[in-house]
Amino acid sequence: MSTRTLTSIKFLQRIRQKDYRNLVWRLAQDVWATPDCEHFTDVLIKYIALLNPFHTSHADNRPHITLRMKTPAQLASQSGQTVHVYYNEATQQYDAFRLYSERKDDAKDEPVEE
C-alpha cells in the first residue's frame, strides 16, 4: 500500500463535535486502506445536510458517511466515485462500504456551507 499524507483527505464540512469528526476521519482512512479503494489518490468527505456525518439517503437507508474518491485520471476528467461507509455503532468500528460507479462531478458534490 502506498504512503498517504493527512492532506489527502479533505473535509467538505465542519464537524464541530470532536468525537464524530475523529470517527469520520478514521472510517475514511479505513475504507481507503481496503484493496478496492487504495488506488484512489483523492478522498473528499462530502457535505451532509444539517452537518450530520451519519445519515441515510434516498438510495441507501442504512446509516453511512459519504465519501467521494478519485484517481488522478478521474481528477483530470472531473469525475469520481461515491462511497458509502458503514460502521458498527456499538463498537465505533468500520463495518463495510459500497463503491458506486464512476460519474461526472456535480455542483452538489462540493456545496458551500450554510
Side-chain angles (χ1 to χ4, degrees), residues 27-52:
L27 293 172
Q29 289 178 316
D30 288 349
V31 76
W32 195 13
T34 65
D36 289 338
C37 295
E38 67 184 2
H39 66 285
F40 292 104
T41 58
D42 189 65
V43 178
L44 304 173
I45 298 171
K46 286 187 58 173
Y47 175 86
I48 309 302
L50 303 176
L51 300 180
N52 178 9

Short mmCIF file of all heavy atoms in Angstrom, two decimals, residues 27-52:
data_model
loop_
_atom_site.label_atom_id
_atom_site.label_comp_id
_atom_site.label_asym_id
_atom_site.label_seq_id
_atom_site.Cartn_x
_atom_site.Cartn_y
_atom_site.Cartn_z
N LEU A 27 -12.87 6.34 9.82
CA LEU A 27 -13.62 5.49 8.90
C LEU A 27 -13.19 5.75 7.45
O LEU A 27 -13.07 4.82 6.66
CB LEU A 27 -15.12 5.71 9.06
CG LEU A 27 -15.73 5.24 10.38
CD1 LEU A 27 -17.18 5.69 10.48
CD2 LEU A 27 -15.61 3.74 10.54
N ALA A 28 -12.94 7.00 7.12
CA ALA A 28 -12.46 7.33 5.77
C ALA A 28 -11.11 6.67 5.52
O ALA A 28 -10.87 6.09 4.45
CB ALA A 28 -12.36 8.85 5.60
N GLN A 29 -10.23 6.71 6.49
CA GLN A 29 -8.93 6.06 6.35
C GLN A 29 -9.07 4.54 6.24
O GLN A 29 -8.37 3.91 5.45
CB GLN A 29 -8.02 6.41 7.53
CG GLN A 29 -7.56 7.85 7.52
CD GLN A 29 -6.71 8.17 8.73
OE1 GLN A 29 -7.03 7.81 9.85
NE2 GLN A 29 -5.62 8.87 8.49
N ASP A 30 -9.98 3.96 7.02
CA ASP A 30 -10.18 2.51 7.00
C ASP A 30 -10.64 2.03 5.63
O ASP A 30 -10.13 1.04 5.11
CB ASP A 30 -11.20 2.08 8.06
CG ASP A 30 -10.67 2.17 9.48
OD1 ASP A 30 -9.44 2.36 9.66
OD2 ASP A 30 -11.49 2.07 10.41
N VAL A 31 -11.61 2.72 5.04
CA VAL A 31 -12.10 2.27 3.73
C VAL A 31 -11.07 2.55 2.65
O VAL A 31 -10.92 1.78 1.71
CB VAL A 31 -13.48 2.87 3.40
CG1 VAL A 31 -13.37 4.32 2.98
CG2 VAL A 31 -14.17 2.06 2.32
N TRP A 32 -10.31 3.62 2.79
CA TRP A 32 -9.28 3.96 1.81
C TRP A 32 -8.18 2.90 1.79
O TRP A 32 -7.54 2.67 0.77
CB TRP A 32 -8.71 5.32 2.13
CG TRP A 32 -7.92 5.95 1.04
CD1 TRP A 32 -7.84 5.57 -0.27
CD2 TRP A 32 -7.09 7.09 1.16
NE1 TRP A 32 -7.02 6.41 -0.96
CE2 TRP A 32 -6.54 7.36 -0.10
CE3 TRP A 32 -6.76 7.92 2.22
CZ2 TRP A 32 -5.68 8.41 -0.34
CZ3 TRP A 32 -5.91 8.97 1.99
CH2 TRP A 32 -5.37 9.21 0.72
N ALA A 33 -7.99 2.22 2.90
CA ALA A 33 -6.94 1.19 3.01
C ALA A 33 -7.37 -0.16 2.45
O ALA A 33 -6.56 -1.08 2.37
CB ALA A 33 -6.52 1.04 4.47
N THR A 34 -8.62 -0.30 2.04
CA THR A 34 -9.08 -1.59 1.50
C THR A 34 -8.54 -1.79 0.09
O THR A 34 -8.28 -0.82 -0.63
CB THR A 34 -10.62 -1.66 1.47
OG1 THR A 34 -11.12 -0.68 0.56
CG2 THR A 34 -11.23 -1.47 2.86
N PRO A 35 -8.38 -3.04 -0.34
CA PRO A 35 -7.86 -3.31 -1.69
C PRO A 35 -8.69 -2.66 -2.81
O PRO A 35 -8.13 -2.26 -3.83
CB PRO A 35 -7.90 -4.84 -1.79
CG PRO A 35 -7.79 -5.30 -0.39
CD PRO A 35 -8.53 -4.28 0.44
N ASP A 36 -9.99 -2.54 -2.63
CA ASP A 36 -10.84 -1.94 -3.66
C ASP A 36 -10.71 -0.42 -3.75
O ASP A 36 -11.13 0.17 -4.74
CB ASP A 36 -12.31 -2.28 -3.41
CG ASP A 36 -12.64 -3.73 -3.68
OD1 ASP A 36 -11.88 -4.38 -4.43
OD2 ASP A 36 -13.65 -4.21 -3.15
N CYS A 37 -10.16 0.21 -2.73
CA CYS A 37 -10.12 1.68 -2.70
C CYS A 37 -8.72 2.27 -2.56
O CYS A 37 -8.56 3.48 -2.64
CB CYS A 37 -11.00 2.19 -1.56
SG CYS A 37 -12.75 1.82 -1.78
N GLU A 38 -7.71 1.46 -2.34
CA GLU A 38 -6.39 2.03 -2.08
C GLU A 38 -5.74 2.70 -3.29
O GLU A 38 -4.78 3.45 -3.13
CB GLU A 38 -5.46 0.96 -1.50
CG GLU A 38 -5.10 -0.15 -2.46
CD GLU A 38 -4.26 -1.23 -1.81
OE1 GLU A 38 -3.98 -1.15 -0.61
OE2 GLU A 38 -3.89 -2.16 -2.53
N HIS A 39 -6.28 2.49 -4.49
CA HIS A 39 -5.72 3.12 -5.68
C HIS A 39 -6.17 4.57 -5.84
O HIS A 39 -5.61 5.31 -6.64
CB HIS A 39 -6.08 2.32 -6.94
CG HIS A 39 -7.55 2.33 -7.25
ND1 HIS A 39 -8.45 1.58 -6.53
CD2 HIS A 39 -8.26 3.00 -8.18
CE1 HIS A 39 -9.66 1.78 -7.02
NE2 HIS A 39 -9.57 2.65 -8.03
N PHE A 40 -7.16 5.00 -5.09
CA PHE A 40 -7.61 6.39 -5.16
C PHE A 40 -6.57 7.29 -4.52
O PHE A 40 -5.93 6.92 -3.53
CB PHE A 40 -8.96 6.57 -4.46
CG PHE A 40 -10.10 5.88 -5.16
CD1 PHE A 40 -10.63 4.70 -4.66
CD2 PHE A 40 -10.64 6.41 -6.33
CE1 PHE A 40 -11.68 4.06 -5.30
CE2 PHE A 40 -11.69 5.77 -6.98
CZ PHE A 40 -12.21 4.60 -6.47
N THR A 41 -6.40 8.49 -5.05
CA THR A 41 -5.42 9.43 -4.51
C THR A 41 -6.07 10.63 -3.84
O THR A 41 -5.40 11.39 -3.18
CB THR A 41 -4.50 9.94 -5.63
OG1 THR A 41 -5.30 10.57 -6.64
CG2 THR A 41 -3.70 8.82 -6.23
N ASP A 42 -7.35 10.80 -4.03
CA ASP A 42 -8.05 11.97 -3.53
C ASP A 42 -9.34 11.51 -2.85
O ASP A 42 -10.14 10.81 -3.47
CB ASP A 42 -8.38 12.90 -4.71
CG ASP A 42 -8.92 14.23 -4.28
OD1 ASP A 42 -8.17 14.99 -3.64
OD2 ASP A 42 -10.09 14.51 -4.58
N VAL A 43 -9.51 11.87 -1.59
CA VAL A 43 -10.70 11.47 -0.84
C VAL A 43 -11.36 12.72 -0.28
O VAL A 43 -10.72 13.51 0.43
CB VAL A 43 -10.34 10.50 0.31
CG1 VAL A 43 -11.59 10.13 1.11
CG2 VAL A 43 -9.65 9.26 -0.22
N LEU A 44 -12.62 12.91 -0.59
CA LEU A 44 -13.40 14.04 -0.08
C LEU A 44 -14.50 13.50 0.81
O LEU A 44 -15.26 12.62 0.40
CB LEU A 44 -14.03 14.83 -1.23
CG LEU A 44 -13.07 15.35 -2.29
CD1 LEU A 44 -13.86 15.97 -3.44
CD2 LEU A 44 -12.12 16.35 -1.71
N ILE A 45 -14.58 14.01 2.03
CA ILE A 45 -15.68 13.66 2.92
C ILE A 45 -16.78 14.66 2.61
O ILE A 45 -16.63 15.86 2.83
CB ILE A 45 -15.25 13.72 4.39
CG1 ILE A 45 -14.13 12.70 4.64
CG2 ILE A 45 -16.45 13.46 5.31
CD1 ILE A 45 -13.48 12.81 5.99
N LYS A 46 -17.87 14.16 2.04
CA LYS A 46 -18.89 15.03 1.48
C LYS A 46 -19.70 15.77 2.53
O LYS A 46 -19.88 15.32 3.64
CB LYS A 46 -19.83 14.23 0.58
CG LYS A 46 -19.18 13.86 -0.74
CD LYS A 46 -20.15 13.23 -1.69
CE LYS A 46 -21.31 14.14 -1.95
NZ LYS A 46 -22.20 13.67 -2.98
N TYR A 47 -20.24 16.88 2.07
CA TYR A 47 -21.17 17.69 2.85
C TYR A 47 -22.41 16.87 3.19
O TYR A 47 -22.91 16.13 2.37
CB TYR A 47 -21.59 18.90 2.02
CG TYR A 47 -22.63 19.77 2.65
CD1 TYR A 47 -22.27 20.77 3.53
CD2 TYR A 47 -23.96 19.59 2.35
CE1 TYR A 47 -23.23 21.58 4.10
CE2 TYR A 47 -24.93 20.39 2.92
CZ TYR A 47 -24.56 21.39 3.79
OH TYR A 47 -25.51 22.18 4.35
N ILE A 48 -22.87 17.02 4.40
CA ILE A 48 -24.06 16.30 4.86
C ILE A 48 -25.09 17.33 5.33
O ILE A 48 -24.76 18.24 6.08
CB ILE A 48 -23.72 15.36 6.04
CG1 ILE A 48 -22.52 14.47 5.72
CG2 ILE A 48 -24.93 14.53 6.44
CD1 ILE A 48 -22.69 13.61 4.50
N ALA A 49 -26.30 17.17 4.89
CA ALA A 49 -27.36 18.09 5.33
C ALA A 49 -27.42 18.15 6.85
O ALA A 49 -27.29 17.13 7.52
CB ALA A 49 -28.70 17.64 4.76
N LEU A 50 -27.59 19.31 7.36
CA LEU A 50 -27.66 19.56 8.81
C LEU A 50 -26.37 19.15 9.53
O LEU A 50 -26.37 18.92 10.72
CB LEU A 50 -28.86 18.84 9.43
CG LEU A 50 -30.22 19.19 8.84
CD1 LEU A 50 -31.32 18.36 9.47
CD2 LEU A 50 -30.51 20.68 8.99
N LEU A 51 -25.27 19.03 8.78
CA LEU A 51 -23.97 18.69 9.36
C LEU A 51 -23.99 17.37 10.11
O LEU A 51 -23.29 17.17 11.09
CB LEU A 51 -23.44 19.81 10.24
CG LEU A 51 -23.25 21.15 9.52
CD1 LEU A 51 -22.72 22.19 10.48
CD2 LEU A 51 -22.33 21.03 8.33
N ASN A 52 -24.78 16.43 9.66
CA ASN A 52 -24.86 15.11 10.27
C ASN A 52 -23.99 14.16 9.46
O ASN A 52 -24.34 13.79 8.36
CB ASN A 52 -26.31 14.62 10.29
CG ASN A 52 -26.43 13.24 10.87
OD1 ASN A 52 -25.48 12.69 11.41
ND2 ASN A 52 -27.61 12.66 10.77
#
